[in-house]
Amino acid sequence: MGIATDISLLVVAAFFCGLLMQRIGQPLILGYILAGVALGPHTGGITVGDVHDIELLAEIGVALLLFALGLEFSIKDLKPVKKVALIGTPIQMGLTIALGYGIGTLLGWEWRDALWLGALISLSSTMVILKTLMNQGWLGTLSSKVMVGMLIIQDLAVVPLMIILPQLNNPAMGMQTLGVAAIKAAVFLFAMIFLGTRLLPKLMEHIAKLGSRELFLLAITAIGLGIGYITYIVGLSFAFGAFVAGMVLSESDYGHQALSDIIPLRDLFGLLFFASVGMLLDPEFLVDHIGQVLILVTLVSLGKGLIFGGIARLFNYGNVVPLAVGLGLFQVGEFSFVLARVGVATESISHELYSLVLTTAVVTMVLTPLVSAQTTRLYALRKRWFRHEPLETINVPEEGFRNHVVIAGGGRVGRHIAGVLQRLGLPFIIIELDQRRVEQARQNSMPVVYGDASHEIVLEAADILTARLLLITIPSVVEAQSIVTHARKMAEEIAIITRASGMESIAIFRDEGVSEVVLPEFEAGQEMTRKALLHLRIPPTEIQHQTETLRQETFAPILGGDNHYNTLSQLRGAEQLFDLEWVRLEPSCDLIGSSLGESQIRTKTGVSVVGVLRSDQLIPNPDIHLRFQECDLVAIIGTDSARGLFQALAVTNTPTG
């Protein structure tokens, strides 16, 4: 069956290896690489028939990943990191090439091999770091934007490197070819920005109106891969063209839908890429050259990590950003494979150097998810070792806060709560690790601490000891549980309300002493149920009865009888007997001109007047001296029969004669 059999073997092997990695708490991409090693041509046993075909399919995976990246990162999102990307990346590549040249010289290589080594290790892996960031939930943070910006420039630099390096003995011809490539790139970018932004959104709008989900998926795939193929024809990177197409589409109204549709396809072809990386690893070569490989991996990882971290610091990125960038981009990238193949084809480098760089690249890729995951731990250690170093705080008074609300998480939910507290004049402080959200809080004049709320030093900076309430809006149960544990250790009596992702986590938080647990999906379901039943003309009291019964059936068995939830349910049940309703007083009714005391509304009807809306002014809890006027809106509560009596009173005029 050929390629079909190979793909089937890879998918099955990747599933079991990925399942194994999941069980031991490691990233799935390590399982995909392991599957490639197991089925590769160097390990014996069951082997993929044609590795080259898998590599070709893997290139589609790279293109789809960058296409999806373009859909997620608009041009506006990349503006904050343009300086470090456009200026910092060339500096980084120059320093890394010098590092590689020094390593090659140290190992006794000739100057040309050493220079090629520097060029090959100067590139980092877009595919690996993006997948790692997605798995860790860091995509969208300032650190990830810095990394993505630098990776884009690196990917663009592959084209001139492919032209210049083989032409080391003929610089004039190399510069001429490079000039032609630069003109092609400029023309392509101009066409995509000025024509693509006008044509592609209209095309997507037309396809969306056809109403076919299948045709929509086919259209976005064709756009991504088709534009990538056009860039390949004109001599540029296939993956770069797909990325630009994604960025253009991200500015349209259908960018989010296109992203959600392309993700499954991206993940499947991405699996083939990581498996193909594993197939390149020759265990026998690794064993025979273990010394050189270890030296290269160590020197390259440490050297590139320091260079990337230093570049980020040089461009005034502080806190966790330099550490995250250094621990994320230390690996050798997939485009190094492409560049190395050019070197072998032009006889610029030997097969031994090719295999050595290849093995080093694969090993660093495997290490990336493990090393990158240590960012938070190392950053926390740094804060403990250097306690004199203040955390970054914004709009926080020098004297701090007392009796305030601490909001762990400055996402949409956290900002919504903060906005309400801000309007009410209640003191609060947000804890957030995403620099983008920190900037949003700064713009809204909200007090915020930059840091991870699961660390005691960050909670201390938010004055957790003097706070009256802790709200945890972070969706991750593991992170929320860690925050609860540290908060309880520091402030035993503080009330805690947390967000939960599922019913199974409610019992966990109950054992941790959380005061209240909120299930966003459940609350959304309750609200949609209310609105649906209102449209179906179900009486409000029956709607209240059904939704509150469902709430009690859902939460009470889990929360048990040792809390206030049963009391709360009983209070909500009592509300079923009443329903707030607004009634307009007709000009001819007997109530006009009478005071609330004179009309004896409660005695005659049984309702209570709780408010009056007059000329867009609300009069809450009116006293007995308030006199009714024409067109007043009166807020009443009472039973159905009592409200019916008041409604009749509000429209009738008793005959006088």
Side-chain angles (χ1 to χ4, degrees), residues 493-565:
E493 302 301 323
I494 189 171
I496 301 176
I497 301 175
T498 186
R499 173 179 177 174
S501 58
M503 301 300 301
E504 65 280 353
S505 58
I506 295 181
I508 297 175
F509 286 124
R510 180 194 61 186
D511 296 338
E512 295 284 346
V514 170
S515 309
E516 295 283 348
V517 179
V518 177
L519 290 175
E521 291 82 3
F522 178 83
E523 297 301 333
Q526 288 281 79
E527 187 61 25
M528 291 189 72
T529 300
R530 290 189 187 98
K531 292 185 182 300
L533 294 179
L534 283 172
H535 277 282
L536 295 174
R537 308 297 183 188
I538 304 299
T541 52
E542 180 63 21
I543 296 174
Q544 184 75 6
H545 171 70
Q546 292 297 331
T547 54
E548 288 306 320
T549 299
L550 179 60
R551 183 184 296 277
Q552 187 170 7
E553 290 175 351
T554 302
F555 285 95
I558 300 174
L559 294 174
D562 58 344
N563 54 67
H564 303 292
Y565 188 79

Side-chain angles (χ1 to χ4, degrees), residues 288-337:
D288 293 341
H289 299 79
I290 187 65
Q292 284 184 301
V293 171
L294 288 177
I295 291 173
L296 274 178
V297 169
T298 303
L299 294 179
V300 169
S301 300
L302 289 176
K304 286 188 70 175
L306 291 173
I307 290 172
F308 273 107
I311 293 292
R313 198 70 191 89
L314 179 66
F315 282 82
N316 297 321
Y317 291 99
N319 294 302
V320 76
V321 175
L323 185 63
V325 172
L327 295 180
L329 297 179
F330 70 90
Q331 76 289 130
V332 182
E334 60 272 359
F335 282 114
S336 298
F337 303 158

Side-chain angles (χ1 to χ4, degrees), residues 29 160 176 192 279 290 301 309 366 376 411 444 504 513 595-596 601 606:
I29 59 175
Q176 181 181 357
M192 285 301 299
M279 291 177 189
I290 187 65
S301 300
V366 171
T376 304
N444 293 324
E504 65 280 353
S595 68
L596 184 59
I601 292 175

Side-chain angles (χ1 to χ4, degrees), residues 2-207:
I3 187 66
T5 302
D6 292 342
I7 293 176
S8 300
L9 286 173
L10 275 177
V11 171
V12 172
F15 168 73
F16 285 107
C17 291
L19 189 62
L20 175 63
M21 292 297 116
Q22 182 76 13
R23 286 297 180 90
I24 63 178
Q26 298 302 320
L28 293 179
I29 59 175
L30 296 185
Y32 302 158
I33 294 175
L34 179 61
V37 173
L39 297 178
H42 307 292
T43 52
I46 301 177
T47 304
V48 167
D50 196 334
V51 176
H52 180 65
D53 286 346
I54 299 299
E55 291 175 350
L56 293 177
L57 291 174
E59 291 183 15
I60 298 178
V62 177
L64 287 175
L65 182 87
L66 287 177
F67 179 56
L69 173 66
L71 287 169
E72 255 183 303
F73 282 85
S74 68
I75 299 174
K76 297 176 183 177
D77 290 331
L78 294 176
K79 282 183 179 179
V81 298
K82 62 182 178 182
K83 288 185 179 180
V84 70
L86 295 174
I87 303 174
T89 306
I91 297 174
Q92 170 267 316
M93 294 188 69
L95 292 174
T96 309
I97 290 174
L99 170 68
Y101 187 84
I103 294 173
T105 304
L106 182 66
L107 295 176
W109 297 355
E110 66 172 13
W111 70 271
R112 186 178 285 103
D113 287 345
L115 191 60
W116 267 91
L117 174 65
L120 291 170
I121 67 171
S122 68
L123 303 170
S124 299
S125 176
T126 305
M127 188 76 172
V128 171
I129 195 61
L130 284 180
K131 193 66 176 176
T132 300
L133 291 172
M134 289 175 190
N135 291 341
Q136 294 172 343
W138 293 348
L139 202 58
T141 63
L142 181 62
S143 302
S144 73
K145 288 185 177 181
V146 172
M147 287 188 253
V148 169
M150 299 185 78
L151 285 168
I152 291 170
I153 303 303
Q154 282 188 1
D155 293 346
L156 288 175
V158 172
V159 176
L161 286 176
M162 290 174 62
I163 296 170
I164 293 173
L165 289 175
Q167 302 288 339
L168 288 176
N169 296 327
N170 192 353
M173 183 175 292
M175 292 303 295
Q176 181 181 357
T177 311
L178 179 61
V180 173
I183 293 174
K184 290 179 180 178
V187 171
F188 170 74
L189 288 174
F190 175 83
M192 285 301 299
I193 293 174
F194 290 98
L195 297 179
T197 52
R198 291 166 174 78
L199 297 179
L200 290 183
K202 291 183 179 179
L203 175 63
M204 294 307 302
E205 182 181 0
H206 175 71
I207 294 172

Side-chain angles (χ1 to χ4, degrees), residues 150-387:
M150 299 185 78
L151 285 168
I152 291 170
I153 303 303
Q154 282 188 1
D155 293 346
L156 288 175
V158 172
V159 176
L161 286 176
M162 290 174 62
I163 296 170
I164 293 173
L165 289 175
Q167 302 288 339
L168 288 176
N169 296 327
N170 192 353
M173 183 175 292
M175 292 303 295
Q176 181 181 357
T177 311
L178 179 61
V180 173
I183 293 174
K184 290 179 180 178
V187 171
F188 170 74
L189 288 174
F190 175 83
M192 285 301 299
I193 293 174
F194 290 98
L195 297 179
T197 52
R198 291 166 174 78
L199 297 179
L200 290 183
K202 291 183 179 179
L203 175 63
M204 294 307 302
E205 182 181 0
H206 175 71
I207 294 172
K209 288 180 178 178
L210 298 177
S212 172
R213 185 74 174 268
E214 184 178 350
L215 192 59
F216 187 84
L217 174 60
L218 185 60
I220 58 176
T221 307
I223 289 173
L225 298 182
I227 294 177
Y229 182 66
I230 293 173
T231 59
Y232 172 75
I233 290 176
V234 299
L236 299 175
S237 168
F238 178 77
F240 170 66
F243 171 77
V244 175
M247 289 190 70
V248 170
L249 278 181
S250 71
E251 304 299 326
S252 72
D253 296 334
Y254 301 95
H256 291 293
Q257 182 62 45
L259 177 63
S260 63
D261 284 353
I262 204 68
I263 282 176
L265 200 59
R266 176 203 69 188
D267 290 342
L268 179 59
F269 279 94
L271 178 155
L272 296 179
F273 166 78
F274 289 106
S276 70
V277 169
M279 291 177 189
L280 297 174
L281 184 64
D282 185 351
E284 185 178 348
F285 180 88
L286 177 61
V287 172
D288 293 341
H289 299 79
I290 187 65
Q292 284 184 301
V293 171
L294 288 177
I295 291 173
L296 274 178
V297 169
T298 303
L299 294 179
V300 169
S301 300
L302 289 176
K304 286 188 70 175
L306 291 173
I307 290 172
F308 273 107
I311 293 292
R313 198 70 191 89
L314 179 66
F315 282 82
N316 297 321
Y317 291 99
N319 294 302
V320 76
V321 175
L323 185 63
V325 172
L327 295 180
L329 297 179
F330 70 90
Q331 76 289 130
V332 182
E334 60 272 359
F335 282 114
S336 298
F337 303 158
V338 179
L339 189 58
R341 285 176 189 153
V342 172
V344 172
T346 58
E347 298 183 353
S348 300
I349 61 174
S350 64
H351 284 279
E352 184 174 346
L353 176 58
Y354 172 79
S355 299
L356 189 61
V357 172
L358 198 67
T359 304
T360 301
V362 174
V363 173
T364 55
M365 285 182 178
V366 171
L367 292 175
T368 298
L370 304 175
V371 174
S372 179
Q374 307 309 311
T375 300
T376 304
R377 293 187 180 93
L378 293 177
Y379 184 65
L381 285 176
R382 174 190 166 193
K383 290 299 179 185
R384 292 193 185 101
W385 291 339
F386 301 97
R387 283 183 176 267

